[in-house]
Every structure is written in C-alpha cells, then in structure tokens.
Amino acid sequence: MSKQFPKRIIRNAALCGVLASTVALPFTAFAQSDEGGFLMTLRLAERLISRDSSGPDTSTTNGVTNQAISDVSLRVSSETRTETLNFELGGGYRFVDGPSTDGINSEFTDPTLRLSYAQDAAASAISVSLFASRTDLDNTSTLNLARTADGTLDPDFADLTQDGGNRNRLRFDGTLSLRDDAPFGLTFGLQVDDISYDNLADTSTLTDYTYGRISAKARFDITEVMQANAGVHFSQTAGADTYDRYGIDAGLILTQPNGQITVDAAATDGDDGSQLHLSAARSFTLEDTTARFGLGLSRASTDDVFVTGTASFKHTFADDSPWGNFTASADRTLTREGRDDEDLVTSLSVATNYALTPVANLRLSAGFARSEDVATGDTVDLSQANLSMTYALTPDWTASAGIGMQSRDPSDETATESTSLSLGLARTFDLRR
C-alpha cells in the first residue's frame, strides 16, 4: 500500500467533513420535527458467488474464484413536508478462495457511507450529499461500479479491471438555488471527488486524482413555457499533473403539453485545450411512458468534430401484466471531466423484469460501453449481461439466484472475460414511525 494513502484519505475526509458540517444545523432542526415519516431498515444478506475468469497470461485472477460474503447495511430515512434526510452505512465480510489467494482468505470488504440532505422552501432549495467507499475491484462488476447515481459513467471507467486492488472514493456534492418563485433565479454548485487506489497490479494504468468544480447558473423565465439558462464554471483536476479549466454554457427550454424541447451550447477552455458542444433534444411524457431523444456536435481539443447524441426510453406496463417495466438508453458523449484524457464515450443499456408468480420475479439487464481516446484512437470495450431471479419466501425473507457474463476488450491487449453464478438469501428489518 502506498505510504501516501492514509494522508490522502485523512486530508480529504477532513475536507468532506467540513463541507458536510454546513448542514449540521438543519439536521438538528429536522430531527426535532414531528411532521413526516421515519424509516429505519436493517438488511442482512448472505451471498455465494463463483466466478470463472480468463484473460491475458499475465493476469493473476485467471481461473475460478469462490466467495462467501456476509453483507450488513443500515438505512435511515426521514421526511417532512420540506426536508428529507437519508443515511446509509454498509459493508461485508468475505471468505474467498481463488487463483491469487493462498488457501482461503477472509477480510472486510466494500464499506460504504452515504449521507444526503435536501430542504425545499418557497423561494429556495438546498441539497448536499456525502459519499465514501472502499471497493475491491475483484469483487464487483466493472460497469456497475463505474456508473454513478445518475446513471452516467465515471471518467476512469475504461481503466477499471479485475486484476486486484482497491478503489477509495470520497465525494461531496452540494447545490443551492435562490429565487425559485421569481422569473429570475440563481443556482450555485460545488463538487469535490477524490479517487485513489492501492494494492494495484504492476501493469495497472489507474492513477489517483482529485476533481473539484464550482459553478453558478442563472435562470430566466421568458414566458410561462419558455426558459433560458446561462452559467459559468471552474474545475481543477489534480493528479500526476494539474489542469485548470473554465467553461460557459447556455440553454433554452420550451415546455410542450407532452414534454420539452431543449437547445444547449457549452464551451470549455483550459491548460489542456478547449472543447465546444452544441445539442438539441426532445422529451416526451405520456401516461405510462417517458422518452428523450437528442442530437449534437462536439469539437475536441484536437479540432476533430464528433456527432454526439442521447436516447432514453422507459415504459411501465399495466398492473394486470406480468411485465413490470422496460428501460433502454443510448448515449454518445465527448468527455474529459475529472481526467486529463479526452475520450469519446458510447454506452448502451437495456433492462426489463417479469413476474413469474406473485412472489417470484425475473430480471434481465445488459450493457455495453466503449471509450475511445481522441488523441491515440485506442479503444476499450466493456460489456455485460445479467439474468437474475428473486423469490419472496416471506414478506421479510428473499432468496435470489443469478448468472452474469462480463467482458473487457482493449484494442491494445487481450480481452478479459468472466462468467459468474450467485445464490443469495436476505432478511430485512423495518422500523417505521
């Protein structure tokens, strides 16, 4: 383990602690409120996972790895008319026997901490969130790990592998909006994201970095159905090298009876060149269906121009149908946020679930992502597919079984593929007030 790791974690934990303290007083007032509801959920789970991996001859994880993992998570949520508080703490203890272990090893794995708070007033709103995690890269699905809460991919997702090592993350997000009830309003944002790694393989390309961003945006309600936005931001990526970037963006939103039409433009400039983005999109909202389609152009710092776009679709079936919902999305984006590499990222995903019986449910999901380095043309393809079934033994006990397939295929080296089988049993305990 790097000797710099403890100092890095302590430094950034202190930073996130200071940022999180900005909501201490609202928490105190919120806890004393008698309005709204309170829910505390304790979840205990046992998972058995067997994974068969194949890849480059230099990989230490080729072969069959068997794991038994005991998970514990505690979630507390409370809500009033104007405030919402969520707290979640989780982790596991696992026994693992695999190609890179000497017999059966045991260890704590994947601790996580989430804290979020939101308050809405008549003319303003504030939301803050704090997230901390330590993830074993051998014990996760790469695409699932790479996706953030809003479904987007992390900047370093293409470099994530299953060749050992741990990923440590501390992230703080905060937004404050003012004059929400007026034709002119302001929104301020702050983001700090620190990612570090330890115990990596000698061939790993993963590097530590800290990403910070501050932004300010103005909203103009031109008419009841037309809104204009304009904003500025500054970001810094500090790792092996430090990059400062400045940006401006503007947009127009036209509200329709069944959705919105949006037009956006953005420009960034900094130590490593500039980017320009233009896009237009149309969204639809129907009784059981939501959809969004967009198309754009992006110019990279190399002066190359790329066609970009986005599409998403979600349909919820009727209550008397065994089908629950169906979701699909596609996205093609020129990105550089949080890293010095400039990448063209294409991603596809689809998921659906089917009720076999009133207590048994089947879920199918698949995803694909490609990252192409604009400067070198090197690509990394990630793909995965999962089929799982859950069975409610009682209202509190749930059994599950699943099979998953995953592949990582870089253009400059041998592909890594894995197949996993899993069995699980979980019990939840709820306390409501």
Side-chain angles (χ1 to χ4, degrees):
M1 181 182 294
S2 170
K3 295 181 179 179
Q4 298 299 319
F5 171 68
K7 294 181 180 179
R8 186 183 185 92
I9 291 296
I10 293 172
R11 182 196 69 191
N12 291 283
L15 174 61
C16 289
V18 172
L19 296 173
S21 67
T22 60
V23 297
L25 290 178
F27 281 167
T28 302
F30 186 41
Q32 296 174 351
S33 175
D34 294 329
E35 300 181 10
F38 172 88
L39 173 64
M40 182 170 66
T41 299
L42 174 66
R43 184 177 185 271
L44 307 177
E46 185 70 28
R47 292 181 291 152
L48 302 176
I49 303 174
S50 179
R51 187 180 71 241
D52 187 3
S53 300
S54 63
D57 295 336
T58 56
S59 175
T60 60
T61 57
N62 287 346
V64 177
T65 300
N66 297 310
Q67 301 179 75
I69 307 174
S70 299
D71 294 313
V72 179
S73 65
L74 176 66
R75 179 180 175 83
V76 179
S77 61
S78 186
E79 184 175 351
T80 70
R81 290 184 300 103
T82 60
E83 295 170 291
T84 302
L85 169 66
N86 291 294
F87 170 81
E88 186 174 350
L89 180 66
Y93 193 84
R94 71 167 180 162
F95 296 89
V96 56
D97 180 20
S100 60
T101 64
D102 184 12
I104 298 178
N105 292 351
S106 60
E107 60 185 353
F108 289 102
T109 183
D110 298 342
T112 60
L113 169 67
R114 299 177 187 271
L115 177 65
S116 64
Y117 171 77
Q119 183 182 55
D120 293 317
S124 63
I126 183 173
S127 65
V128 294
S129 65
L130 176 67
F131 173 73
S133 68
R134 178 175 172 84
T135 303
D136 184 343
L137 297 181
D138 273 344
N139 193 34
T140 187
S141 174
T142 304
L143 272 180
N144 288 342
L145 170 66
R147 293 193 183 277
T148 58
D150 60 2
T152 58
L153 292 167
D154 280 339
D156 59 350
F157 83 93
D159 295 328
L160 296 175
T161 66
Q162 290 188 328
D163 286 334
N166 298 293
R167 181 191 195 193
N168 310 285
R169 185 169 200 171
L170 287 167
R171 175 164 178 158
F172 174 86
D173 289 277
T175 60
L176 171 65
S177 64
L178 303 173
R179 296 177 55 85
D180 293 345
D181 60 344
F184 170 75
L186 294 171
T187 300
F188 302 93
L190 171 64
Q191 177 184 333
V192 178
D193 197 3
D194 180 83
I195 292 181
S196 62
Y197 300 90
D198 60 79
N199 298 330
L200 294 174
D202 294 337
T203 57
S204 177
T205 59
L206 293 168
T207 57
D208 302 350
Y209 70 91
T210 300
Y211 175 72
R213 174 186 168 107
I214 57 175
S215 62
K217 179 172 287 189
R219 169 186 53 81
F220 306 89
D221 292 337
I222 301 173
T223 68
E224 292 184 355
V225 298
M226 183 180 294
Q227 181 185 104
N229 299 282
V232 296
H233 70 264
F234 167 78
S235 66
Q236 182 182 85
T237 301
D241 298 298
T242 299
Y243 299 93
D244 294 339
R245 304 185 183 112
Y246 307 85
I248 60 173
D249 57 84
L252 186 67
I253 301 174
L254 182 62
T255 301
Q256 301 289 291
N258 60 349
Q260 291 182 334
I261 298 174
T262 60
V263 179
D264 295 286
T268 61
D269 193 13
D271 300 334
D272 50 353
S274 61
Q275 287 184 350
L276 294 175
H277 306 274
L278 295 172
S279 64
R282 178 69 162 96
S283 64
F284 299 90
T285 302
L286 305 176
E287 183 178 357
D288 300 316
T289 304
T290 59
R292 186 174 187 273
F293 306 95
L295 193 64
L297 292 173
S298 293
R299 193 190 74 179
S301 61
T302 57
D303 291 334
D304 295 312
V305 178
F306 301 95
V307 176
T308 59
T310 182
S312 62
F313 177 84
K314 179 178 180 179
H315 178 72
T316 301
F317 293 88
D319 293 339
D320 57 353
S321 171
W323 293 98
N325 56 60
F326 173 81
T327 60
S329 65
D331 188 73
R332 180 177 168 89
T333 306
L334 178 67
T335 181
R336 189 173 53 188
E337 186 177 88
R339 296 298 299 272
D340 55 347
D341 296 333
E342 198 170 16
D343 301 311
L344 185 66
V345 176
T346 303
S347 63
L348 306 168
S349 66
V350 62
T352 188
N353 58 289
Y354 183 86
L356 300 172
T357 71
V359 294
N361 190 67
L362 193 68
R363 178 174 175 80
L364 172 66
S365 63
F368 170 83
R370 164 174 286 190
S371 177
E372 178 182 352
D373 191 301
V374 171
T376 65
D378 293 338
T379 62
V380 177
D381 292 347
L382 293 173
S383 57
Q384 71 177 46
N386 297 285
L387 177 65
S388 62
M389 186 181 73
T390 58
Y391 187 89
L393 302 172
T394 71
D396 298 321
W397 286 93
T398 303
S400 62
I403 180 172
M405 294 173 286
Q406 179 173 308
S407 171
R408 180 181 186 272
D409 187 8
S411 59
D412 58 351
E413 61 182 75
T414 305
T416 300
E417 299 178 344
S418 66
T419 302
S420 62
L421 298 173
S422 63
L423 294 173
L425 184 65
R427 171 69 158 91
T428 58
F429 302 85
D430 292 336
L431 173 62
R432 298 178 183 272
R433 181 175 64 83

